[in-house]
Amino acid sequence: AYEITCRDWSSDVCFPIYVEERELTLLFLVDLSASGVFGSGDRTKIRRAIEISATLMFNALRNNDKVGLITFASEILNSIPARKIKGHVLRLVRDLIAARPARGKTQFADALDYVARVQRRKCALFIVSDFIGFNDVRALSRLAARHDVVALTIRDPREIELPDAGVLVLEDAETGKRTEIDSSSARVREAYRRMAQERATGLTETFRRAGIDELIVDTVRPFAQTLHEFFRRRERRMAR
């Protein structure tokens, strides 16, 4: 293995990542659905998804790996086959930055089936999403049988825990449905926290059953250390 550098754009901190020394194809399946516009700090989930995708893409470029991109929401939005030249990677990053979130229910199964059709050769597949509403373990398992799949889960702290801020109106960004809740109630906040935790635990279990790794990144904290530790754990596991 050899060392490459992970730079976290949000903190300008660098950490080494150790990867296997061979040419790879990296494919990024990035969720651009409207739920990604949420962010309680200075970053939305989509912005964080773009930052971490770009970090991994540029590291792949340094390793002379091929990089491809598929974006999706309620349908496939864009599909760019993998190549390994600098101008190609810059185009992928520009396309992500310029993309606009799409309304409608996120169609994970369609996106996963699309990847299975267009990517026949083995690749490292990063699925970058908040995974809200995801439950298609079969399609994910089929992909994991052929590819090295990583679920890169983007979360915002306010999706896990509500502040004590009185009456709040929560809107589903994909459907427009609104729900009014009283966040000043400790019972309401605890129920919200428990529901969010159950969802997170269930999602992690889904990934475990599918046989893939999950990397969780939030919109607030710098991700370089998290990314570094994730790849080091994978390196140690693969070395056994």
Side-chain angles (χ1 to χ4, degrees):
Y2 67 97
E3 181 179 309
I4 61 177
T5 300
C6 167
R7 179 174 295 278
D8 186 335
W9 294 3
S10 63
S11 66
D12 204 34
V13 174
C14 296
F15 287 94
I17 299 175
Y18 297 88
V19 296
E20 191 175 350
E21 191 168 4
R22 62 185 178 89
E23 182 180 295
L24 299 171
T25 295
L26 276 67
L27 181 60
F28 291 82
L29 180 62
V30 181
D31 177 3
L32 294 180
S33 59
S35 64
V37 302
F38 182 73
S40 59
D42 61 356
R43 280 171 171 77
T44 64
K45 289 187 287 183
I46 283 183
R47 180 176 173 184
R48 180 59 93 200
I50 293 170
E51 289 174 344
I52 196 166
S53 296
T55 297
L56 293 169
M57 286 178 179
F58 282 123
N59 275 326
L61 179 64
R62 293 179 59 184
N63 188 31
N64 203 35
D65 292 331
K66 295 180 179 179
V67 183
L69 172 67
I70 299 171
T71 57
F72 73 102
S74 59
E75 60 184 358
I76 299 298
L77 302 174
N78 199 8
S79 180
I80 306 174
R83 299 178 67 190
K84 59 178 181 179
I85 60 175
K86 182 177 181 180
H88 175 72
V89 173
L90 290 173
R91 177 201 169 185
L92 300 185
V93 175
R94 283 197 302 267
D95 284 359
L96 280 174
I97 293 172
R100 293 292 177 264
R103 283 260 186 185
K105 184 175 176 58
T106 310
Q107 297 298 330
F108 289 101
D110 290 348
L112 297 177
D113 289 343
Y114 180 82
V115 172
R117 291 197 305 272
V118 301
Q119 186 63 41
R120 295 293 185 178
R121 293 186 177 181
K122 184 175 181 177
C123 73
L125 173 63
F126 290 89
I127 307 174
V128 188
S129 174
D130 57 15
F131 290 99
I132 291 177
F134 180 82
N135 60 4
D136 201 328
V137 67
R138 290 186 179 181
L140 197 55
S141 297
R142 288 194 295 269
L143 276 180
R146 177 178 296 175
H147 306 294
D148 181 10
V149 183
V150 173
L152 213 164
T153 305
I154 311 294
R155 289 187 186 145
D156 187 273
R158 290 304 179 213
E159 294 176 315
I160 304 299
E161 189 167 343
L162 281 177
D164 182 353
V167 177
L168 299 175
V169 178
L170 306 182
E171 180 178 334
D172 186 320
E174 296 185 3
T175 66
K177 181 180 178 180
R178 294 188 174 190
T179 304
E180 187 175 284
I181 62 173
D182 182 5
S183 68
S184 64
S185 167
R187 288 180 57 190
V188 169
R189 294 197 304 274
E190 174 58 23
Y192 182 93
R193 186 201 63 78
R194 187 168 56 251
M195 182 176 64
Q197 187 57 55
E198 289 173 355
R199 174 187 168 272
T201 301
L203 191 58
T204 297
E205 175 61 18
T206 294
F207 295 144
R208 188 197 66 78
R209 288 168 52 202
I212 72 170
D213 289 334
E214 181 185 24
L215 171 60
I216 302 172
V217 175
D218 70 34
T219 60
V220 177
R221 292 172 293 187
F223 61 77
Q225 180 69 46
T226 302
L227 200 59
H228 167 69
E229 293 172 354
F230 173 77
F231 281 104
R232 286 305 300 264
R233 286 195 301 270
R234 280 171 59 93
E235 179 199 17
R236 289 194 294 268
R237 188 179 71 227
M238 292 175 179
R240 293 193 192 114

